[in-house]
Each structure stands twice: as structure tokens, then as C-alpha cells.
Amino acid sequence: MTYQTLCPTDLITVLMTLGHEAPHVALLRHDQNTPTFEESHHSLQQSLCHWAETLTHCPIGYMEQLYTFSSFPMQGAIPHIHITYLALSPSHPHACHGSLYQHFPWEDRRSETGNAQLAQFITAIEQWATHHPDRQSRIAPAFGLYDLPWDDTRVLERYELLWESGLVPRTLPTAHTTPHGDDRRLLATALSRLRARIRYSPAVFELLPKAFTLLQLQQAIETLSGRFMHKPNFRRLVLHQNLVEETGAYERFTAGRPAKLYQFRPAAMASCYLGSAFLPIEAAH
């Protein structure tokens, strides 16, 4: 008779919000505080969403399953399974892991420090790939080398290459780590997914207040992508696609001419392609 050992499984919600200069994140571990499953909840995701909102007091407008990871706490042990979800909220939870760019500074192309670190990494990783065609074929699209464009959605690929080449550690540069040291990989996966989502879905609007200015929308895209946008062209793109509509109100307590407040048009749900802004309207350096 063959006996099968069940793998320990935990549920993790990666709650993303917008900070002033960077996306912020809170990791909610459901193995420590098991969510209550109610009859009115028709899915695991709905139960986790309700639990996360109750725990953080942050409304969650969007949630999706992110990835299923496995890890081995010790050699020879059975694997641990981590089922993860990505959640977006316009509110900021009290307890969080802080800025994502604290963990991945090279992903913020707006920062002189981040760009300097990225340049050092590129020099080192090109040396690591020398005389290894397979490595060269992997680093080229990940880091925008050899005339290839920079793709901001390749966060996970860049992190895994940097870890494989010995340039960054697997654990986070903070005390907030799991016993398995997989948090950095988890956060890289979440940032990759979020950057991809804002290209072809209205996910960015789940991180903004219901009414916002066009400047706030532009700054949100810049914060998430880690790149500056060309202001006039960005606004033309948003207005041309009819993604937003005026609310009739204006932003208060601002110097100079009050800015119009807009809101997302639900009718634009199927035609939200803000990602087309990334390369054509990126601001010149």
C-alpha cells in the first residue's frame, strides 16, 4: 500500500497600493490568520478578499490569483505550497513591506540611484554571460541589450537572472521574510503581473480615488512602470481613447488654475490600452 503525504499549503495575498514615489505592498499570510469561509462566499477568492478587507480596513477593487509557488524548508523535507493572490486597493494599509523599489531599486528608471545600480548590474551580467550563448540570449530581452527595447514587465526575469548570477540575494533587504526566503520572488512576480495588467486593463484605476486629475493618472502610470511619461502625448492618448470622463468638479486646495477631476468610463473596459503609451510617449531623458 502506498501512502501519500499531503503538502503543507498556505494562502498569501499581495496587497498593492500606490505610494507617493513607488508601489507599496503588504503581504497577508493566511496560514497565520485563517480566513472565515462563509456560505455567502461562492469562491475561495471571494473569501480571501473579504478576509483581507476586514484585516486591513482597505477596500479591494480588484483581485486575481497570482501564482502557485513551492518551496522546501529543509533538505529532504516535503515541499510547502504557497497559493498567492494579487489584490489592488486605493487605500494604504498600516502594516506593509514598504516600497517595492526598496526591494528592486533597479526597476525605477526615474531614479539616478536605480539607473546607476542597473548600469553596474548590466556590466557584471554581461561578463557573466560571456562565452555562454544561452545566457546571452536570456539577458538581452530581459535587460534591453543589443538594440532591444527595455520591457518594464520583465521584472521577474531580471530578478531571477540577477540572483542566478550571484548579483542579488534571494531574501529581501528587510526583516520581513518567510522561513523559505521566497518573498522577493513573490514580489517580483506581483510587480511583473501588475505592470502587464495596466497595459491592457483598467487595473490602474483600482489604485486611484474615484475622482482624479489627469496628472494623478499619469503619475500613477509612471509610479507603476518606473518610467516618466511625455505629458501632452499621454493626455492625448487617454482622451482619444475615451477612457475617462469629466465629473464636473475641480481639484481643491491647489496652487494656480484648478485641475478638472475625471473618472473612469466603465464603457471603456474592453478598450483600455494604456500600455501603448509606454514606448511611444515615454518622456525623453
Side-chain angles (χ1 to χ4, degrees), residues 57-108:
H57 303 289
C58 294
I60 294 175
Y62 178 84
M63 190 175 197
E64 66 170 90
Q65 187 169 350
L66 181 60
Y67 202 73
T68 300
F69 297 88
S70 63
S71 62
F72 293 82
M74 61 185 66
Q75 189 173 6
I78 60 176
H80 283 215
I81 304 301
H82 312 282
I83 302 173
T84 63
Y85 285 79
L86 173 64
L88 306 180
S89 175
S91 300
H92 194 71
H94 294 295
C96 69
H97 280 60
S99 162
L100 273 180
Y101 296 144
Q102 175 186 357
H103 309 306
F104 308 100
W106 58 89
E107 289 294 336
D108 188 359

Side-chain angles (χ1 to χ4, degrees), residues 26-155:
L27 293 183
L28 311 177
R29 305 184 186 284
H30 306 283
D31 58 334
Q32 299 173 2
N33 300 279
T34 304
T36 301
F37 295 91
E38 300 180 5
E39 187 175 351
S40 59
H41 299 157
H42 301 293
S43 67
L44 173 61
Q45 179 171 308
Q46 189 176 11
S47 295
L48 294 180
C49 184
H50 173 76
W51 179 85
E53 288 183 325
T54 302
L55 180 67
T56 63
H57 303 289
C58 294
I60 294 175
Y62 178 84
M63 190 175 197
E64 66 170 90
Q65 187 169 350
L66 181 60
Y67 202 73
T68 300
F69 297 88
S70 63
S71 62
F72 293 82
M74 61 185 66
Q75 189 173 6
I78 60 176
H80 283 215
I81 304 301
H82 312 282
I83 302 173
T84 63
Y85 285 79
L86 173 64
L88 306 180
S89 175
S91 300
H92 194 71
H94 294 295
C96 69
H97 280 60
S99 162
L100 273 180
Y101 296 144
Q102 175 186 357
H103 309 306
F104 308 100
W106 58 89
E107 289 294 336
D108 188 359
R109 303 298 306 276
R110 305 165 302 165
S111 162
E112 291 184 7
T113 301
N115 283 324
Q117 186 180 51
L118 178 62
Q120 293 175 352
F121 281 158
I122 288 176
T123 298
I125 208 164
E126 284 187 302
Q127 293 175 351
W128 174 76
T130 302
H131 307 308
H132 294 274
D134 58 324
R135 293 179 180 179
Q136 292 175 341
S137 66
R138 292 166 59 204
I139 69 172
F143 290 90
L145 305 179
Y146 318 132
D147 296 326
L148 292 178
W150 172 267
D151 186 343
D152 46 81
T153 68
R154 294 181 179 266
V155 183

